[in-house]
Amino acid sequence: MDIRAEGISRRYFRRTGEANYFEAVCRTDFTVEAGKVTVLLGRSGSGKTTLLHMLAGLLTPTGGKIFLGDTDLYSLEDKALSEIRNKRIGVIPQGRSVIDTLTVLENILLPAALYGGESRGQEALEWMKKLDIAHLADSRPTELSGGELRRVAIVRALAGKPEVILADEPTGDLDDENTALVLSALRDAARDGAAVLLVTHEGEAKQYADEVWRMNAGTLTREERN
Amino acid sequence: MTKRRMFLRMITASLLRRRSRMLVALLSIGIGATILSGLVTIYYDVPRQMGAQFRNYGANMIFVSADGTSLDAEKTAEALSLIPKEKILGATPYRYTSAQMVRNQLSFVAAGTDFEQVQATSPYFMVDGAYPSASRQVLLGKEVAKTIGAKLNSMVEISWKPSVTEASGDTELKPGAYLAGSAEGFNSALVYVTLKLGDDLSIAEMTVNADSQTAEFGGRCAEESFTKQFIGKLIPLTAGTDVDAMTGATVTSQAVVDAVNKARPTENAQAATGNSLSLQVTGILDTGGDEEQYIFLSLSDMEALTGEQDRFDVMELSVSASAEELEEYVSQITDKSGSVSARLVKRVTRSEAAVLTKLQSLVFLVTAVVLLLTMICVSTTMMAVVTERRKEIGLRKALGASDSSIRLEFLGEGIFLGALGGLLGSVLGFGFAQVVSVNVFGSSIQFQPLLLPLTVAVSMLIAALSCMLPIKRAVQIDPALVLKGE
């Protein structure tokens, strides 16, 4: 299912400086289409992550709306929005995003456990094998390298078979081999019907992209593909 | 992994991971619960403990006759049966009369009583020597002993004369009845007469006790030459008409006539004629109160002296009960017993109630303050836990945990800690109460089984309340900020 931003903006208010706010995202229309990998490029601080968080239902826009299919995400109550985040959107956050008191497998199954739905153990195991972390299932996150932790976060997002996958710098900590593994995994997810957004500042992801957008100071422009 | 298992896993993982913090929280709840359980135990035990202590300060209830006459032993026993037996620490009957020391003719108040009960209702009585334990023994008030110069183990002879007020309530004159009367003579001193009626209700026999009058004048009114004028005459008499006054003793003569006219029937000859007893002083009573001016003898000696049986003027009771219970007993006795009137010794019961209220308020206040401190401590600890787990909470929200599930988890942690601390506190609290009770009141207390669930429940509630602010903080965590690493 597509996820669509309509005229969204996000202002951050400041106490100092010339203006009393700055706009991280300015009145932007943007769609991540189902079945496609959309790559969003841009320099650090250009507003990419802010846009991704708004799409993920984590950050309320200061203007505009976000639709998942026909559902206006931010018109929902916390409970309903939380459930959508859990069941229909897979977020791969930037940086370290695991709970150290749980094992790797528990971390991966955490989203499923939060709602007590069907166990996603089988899918999880397949993805773990694909991304070469199956042998770490019972390890503690503290015993893992940065690259391994990244892949744990990716498997956690993919195991739930979400309709939308929002990946924030998913290949940041990875070597070339693992980068290729991850990017192709995301492309496979898109082939299976998911709307995949890949936010990165590296150009390498372009070769997996169906669409490429570039963000500059809160404004999006679409790159024409040859 | 099911939702519930994950929930438990998260709680236990969080508790174990932050062992030292959790230990602090557990300890503060434990201490709070200990104080709560301990003080509540004391709170409920204080009236019992203090009640026993208060009983050292004397009787808190008295029985008197409802109609102003004397108490009947049987009716008194009936009234007494309306109070639970185990609550009555002592019930002391007193029969008061006026008696004279034969040696120096000084009058004192004599009180017939049950010495065993006296020791229960008036534990503060200080006796030099011992309480009388056999018949013909007497306990003298300190003032009495001083006035008459009596020493321990010496013998004193006391005499008793009937007076109008001593006579029984029956005023109908019957053939053969004994009558006793008294009236004021010279210098307002009492003159006593004793009469026996003949079959025609005229005076058959008569004796006069005019010892209080001047021997060579009024004293002569006791002589037969004067009293024979009364024989064969019907009451009332008129001085000057029926009886000629004794020369030089007009006042005393008039007093004898008045005494005859006021004479009332008594139960027997002895009650009419008076009596005297020789008693051994076994103890001298020091109370600092009016009792020091009394002569105390046993009820049986009092009966031997006055000839009256099973009659008291007042019964003092020491009842171990709360102010409300005492009021209840009084109203029951008033309702059911017509002739006995029960009253509370307000001075004692009021001060008891006041002390208890103050003590209980203090206990309540201390408990409230300790619970408040516990709340602050637990709240601070949980706030630190929330801060430590900020990233984790943000991540779980990003993965779809709703605000309510975050609330539930922290509440679960708090309630678990509360239950554990409550159990700990219940056990320690009983020990604490026991130590306080033994050291302060000098007696042990009983375990209140109901207190265990109460303490656990209150601890859980306190812990849950303490978690409110930390939970609010946890729910406010912005996952977007956390994921950005801010």
Side-chain angles (χ1 to χ4, degrees):
Chain A
M1 193 167 285
D2 295 352
I3 188 158
R4 193 170 80 251
E6 283 185 6
I8 58 162
S9 35
R10 175 73 206 188
R11 285 177 179 182
Y12 286 102
F13 292 90
R14 285 171 164 170
R15 287 190 191 159
T16 54
E18 283 171 26
N20 61 353
Y21 65 88
F22 93 99
E23 208 145 38
V25 176
C26 325
R27 289 182 297 278
T28 298
D29 293 325
F30 177 60
T31 305
V32 184
E33 285 175 48
K36 286 187 179 174
V37 174
T38 304
V39 169
L40 178 58
L41 295 170
R43 289 164 59 187
S44 297
S46 57
K48 306 187 296 290
T49 299
T50 301
L51 178 63
L52 182 137
H53 284 162
M54 288 194 286
L55 292 170
L58 295 171
L59 183 66
T60 314
T62 45
K65 285 178 178 175
I66 308 249
F67 291 95
L68 176 62
D70 295 327
T71 312
D72 177 358
L73 285 189
Y74 291 98
S75 69
L76 299 173
E77 296 280 319
D78 171 73
K79 207 172 160 87
L81 181 57
S82 297
E83 194 163 350
I84 285 182
R85 277 206 298 267
N86 180 264
K87 295 191 169 156
R88 300 176 65 183
I89 301 175
V91 178
I92 301 162
Q94 211 173 13
R96 200 169 190 284
S97 65
V98 283
I99 294 175
D100 288 337
T101 50
L102 302 179
T103 65
V104 165
L105 186 61
E106 282 169 344
N107 264 291
I108 288 169
L109 297 180
L110 179 60
L114 286 174
Y115 282 82
E118 57 191 284
S119 174
R120 297 169 183 172
Q122 203 50 46
E123 288 102 326
L125 212 63
E126 278 171 25
W127 282 113
M128 284 169 86
K129 278 181 191 157
K130 247 185 220 176
L131 295 189
D132 196 23
I133 51 166
H135 59 289
L136 299 171
D138 294 325
S139 305
R140 293 275 164 191
T142 43
E143 300 159 6
L144 269 57
S145 72
E148 286 166 335
L149 287 173
R150 189 109 289 262
R151 281 177 280 156
V152 170
I154 293 162
V155 172
R156 185 179 57 206
L158 296 177
K161 281 202 158 182
E163 295 162 40
V164 179
I165 295 167
L166 305 171
D168 197 355
E169 308 276 6
T171 56
D173 297 316
L174 301 181
D175 55 35
D176 292 348
E177 191 184 335
N178 278 315
T179 299
L181 265 178
V182 165
L183 291 177
S184 63
L186 289 172
R187 191 183 53 196
D188 291 351
R191 296 291 171 262
D192 286 347
V196 176
L197 174 66
L198 216 161
V199 171
T200 180
H201 60 274
E202 295 154 3
E204 192 184 347
K206 270 190 184 174
Q207 54 186 300
Y208 292 88
D210 298 310
E211 289 207 26
V212 177
W213 291 70
R214 189 169 287 279
M215 192 158 204
N216 190 14
T219 313
L220 279 177
T221 43
R222 190 173 171 176
E223 265 187 25
E224 291 302 324
R225 309 296 310 276
N226 298 326
Chain B
M1 191 179 282
T2 63
K3 188 179 176 184
R4 186 179 305 157
R5 249 187 77 195
M6 179 56 92
F7 179 65
L8 290 175
R9 177 89 178 78
M10 296 293 296
I11 288 183
T12 47
S14 165
L15 290 177
L16 288 176
R17 179 83 187 275
R18 296 166 181 86
R19 270 188 294 260
S20 58
R21 280 203 194 288
M22 289 307 154
L23 212 62
V24 169
L26 183 65
L27 213 63
S28 53
I29 295 175
I31 290 171
T34 300
I35 302 289
L36 171 75
S37 140
L39 289 186
V40 167
T41 306
I42 293 169
Y43 185 90
Y44 282 107
D45 218 52
V46 152
R48 191 175 69 80
Q49 302 270 16
M50 292 302 287
Q53 302 267 320
F54 282 136
R55 301 285 27 88
N56 289 331
Y57 300 111
N60 52 359
M61 194 189 282
I62 55 167
F63 285 175
V64 290
S65 165
D67 56 10
T69 60
S70 55
L71 281 167
D72 180 77
E74 209 175 300
K75 300 275 187 213
T76 310
E78 269 173 37
L80 211 53
S81 69
L82 292 172
I83 304 174
K85 220 172 190 167
E86 67 278 6
K87 301 264 185 188
I88 303 174
L89 301 180
T92 314
Y94 285 100
R95 172 66 168 143
Y96 295 107
T97 188
S98 172
Q100 277 186 325
M101 286 294 163
V102 170
R103 193 164 27 167
N104 51 16
Q105 295 298 314
L106 288 170
S107 284
F108 296 98
V109 175
T113 187
D114 178 340
F115 288 108
E116 218 170 281
Q117 296 296 319
V118 166
Q119 293 171 60
T121 51
S122 304
Y124 58 91
F125 275 15
M126 279 171 60
V127 173
D128 180 18
Y131 278 101
S133 55
S135 65
R136 302 297 185 262
Q137 291 185 336
V138 69
L139 176 70
L140 292 184
K142 202 168 108 186
E143 290 297 318
V144 177
K146 208 164 119 191
T147 310
I148 66 170
K151 298 267 181 297
L152 273 182
N153 296 320
S154 62
M155 298 299 288
V156 292
E157 194 177 6
I158 63 169
S159 68
W160 171 86
K161 298 270 182 322
S163 68
V164 176
T165 51
E166 297 283 347
S168 71
D170 189 1
T171 54
E172 195 192 337
L173 301 181
K174 289 175 186 158
Y178 287 95
L179 272 63
S182 63
E184 284 185 5
F186 192 64
N187 271 347
S188 298
L190 284 176
V191 172
Y192 302 92
V193 300
T194 329
L195 309 167
K196 190 185 177 192
L197 299 182
D199 292 341
D200 59 352
L201 298 180
S202 66
I203 298 168
E205 293 170 21
M206 172 167 169
T207 51
V208 173
N209 183 328
D211 294 349
S212 62
Q213 309 292 300
T214 321
E216 57 270 43
F217 301 106
R220 286 167 51 224
C221 286
E223 289 171 8
E224 207 197 337
S225 59
F226 177 70
T227 59
K228 70 178 182 193
Q229 301 181 73
F230 293 79
I231 306 297
K233 291 182 178 152
L234 287 167
I235 303 169
L237 304 169
T238 313
T241 315
D242 298 310
V243 179
D244 293 330
M246 180 70 84
T247 317
T250 326
V251 175
T252 309
S253 300
Q254 181 62 49
V256 172
V257 173
D258 289 348
V260 167
N261 289 340
K262 289 202 301 192
R264 293 286 178 270
T266 58
E267 283 178 356
N268 50 35
Q270 182 195 321
T273 56
N275 197 7
S276 67
L277 285 179
S278 206
L279 303 163
Q280 187 195 9
V281 180
T282 62
I284 293 175
L285 178 63
D286 184 354
T287 66
D290 290 344
E291 298 90 348
E292 290 185 357
Q293 295 162 18
Y294 296 177
I295 301 166
F296 291 90
L297 46 154
S298 69
L299 281 172
S300 59
D301 284 347
M302 187 57 125
E303 281 170 24
L305 191 66
T306 63
E308 286 187 338
Q309 290 186 342
D310 297 335
R311 293 204 160 270
F312 332 120
D313 291 305
V314 65
M315 179 172 262
E316 289 188 5
L317 293 102
S318 180
V319 184
S320 178
S322 68
E324 294 78 31
E325 284 173 313
L326 288 173
E327 297 276 5
E328 173 70 26
Y329 300 148
V330 165
S331 67
Q332 266 185 28
I333 291 166
T334 311
D335 288 350
K336 294 190 181 161
S337 172
S339 61
V340 176
S341 162
R343 292 171 197 171
L344 292 181
V345 182
K346 287 274 162 49
R347 174 175 54 85
V348 175
T349 51
R350 270 200 197 131
S351 61
E352 275 184 31
V355 170
L356 277 184
T357 309
K358 278 179 191 163
L359 211 61
Q360 290 189 322
S361 310
L362 184 72
V363 166
F364 182 77
L365 198 72
V366 170
T367 309
V369 169
V370 168
L371 290 184
L372 189 70
L373 287 177
T374 302
M375 277 179 73
I376 292 172
C377 189
V378 174
S379 191
T380 312
T381 309
M382 291 306 278
M383 197 68 102
V385 169
V386 167
T387 310
E388 276 179 5
R389 290 176 58 184
R390 190 170 166 271
K391 240 190 125 170
E392 178 194 321
I393 295 163
L395 177 64
R396 287 175 52 214
K397 278 181 151 183
L399 295 178
S402 62
D403 290 348
S404 52
S405 71
I406 302 275
R407 263 188 216 112
L408 201 67
E409 188 190 319
F410 276 93
L411 210 56
E413 265 186 51
I415 287 175
F416 177 74
L417 278 176
L420 210 62
L423 276 176
L424 191 76
S426 296
V427 177
L428 293 178
F430 179 66
F432 168 69
Q434 192 72 271
V435 169
V436 170
S437 186
V438 167
N439 285 303
V440 177
F441 300 109
S443 68
S444 63
I445 52 166
Q446 290 157 353
F447 182 70
Q448 310 275 347
L450 253 181
L451 208 54
L452 181 75
L454 177 82
T455 308
V456 172
V458 172
S459 301
M460 283 162 76
L461 182 72
I462 291 288
L465 286 176
S466 310
C467 287
M468 286 304 142
L469 207 63
I471 286 174
K472 196 175 166 208
R473 182 69 67 84
V475 168
Q476 281 173 344
I477 288 174
D478 183 350
L481 285 181
V482 172
L483 293 184
K484 270 166 91 177
E486 285 176 23

